[in-house]
Amino acid sequence: RSKVKILDLGSGPGTFTLGYIDYLSRREGASKTEKHEIHLLSLDQNYHIVRDAQNLHEELIKNLKAKGYNYRLIHQARTFDLRRGKPDT
């Protein structure tokens, strides 16, 4: 079972992690039968953009499942502003 943990600091709409998850599904030797679990924590100062990121990631996972991949996404989206102290997580 494949398990990946990702901290996306300053995630914006999740561009990096969307590309990374897509890469995982397309890499040479990627198995559709293998279970993939992705724990993702997206941090950004903009509440709306991290919610957009969460929705985009959920859509990508649905798309991969429709193609026969066995992906499970555990996504937490949090806001933070380093000028005001550390993240709430």
Side-chain angles (χ1 to χ4, degrees), residues 20-55:
Y20 184 70
I21 293 169
D22 184 58
Y23 161 77
L24 289 176
S25 69
R26 295 173 188 255
R27 73 188 189 283
E28 188 174 327
S31 169
K32 286 188 175 184
T33 57
E34 182 181 0
K35 292 181 181 179
H36 302 275
E37 186 170 292
I38 300 168
H39 293 256
L40 172 58
L41 175 57
S42 298
L43 296 173
D44 199 284
Q45 63 185 358
N46 185 317
Y47 169 81
H48 300 288
I49 205 77
V50 292
R51 291 294 166 220
D52 288 346
Q54 193 165 24
N55 291 333

Side-chain angles (χ1 to χ4, degrees), residues 8 13-23 40 53 56-58 60:
D8 193 354
T15 308
F16 167 75
T17 49
L18 287 166
Y20 184 70
I21 293 169
D22 184 58
Y23 161 77
L40 172 58
L56 288 168
H57 285 88
E58 288 172 4
L60 176 60

Side-chain angles (χ1 to χ4, degrees), residues 22 25-26 32 61-70:
D22 184 58
S25 69
R26 295 173 188 255
K32 286 188 175 184
I61 294 299
K62 283 181 193 176
N63 185 287
L64 290 172
K65 285 183 178 182
K67 292 180 179 178
Y69 289 95
N70 190 359

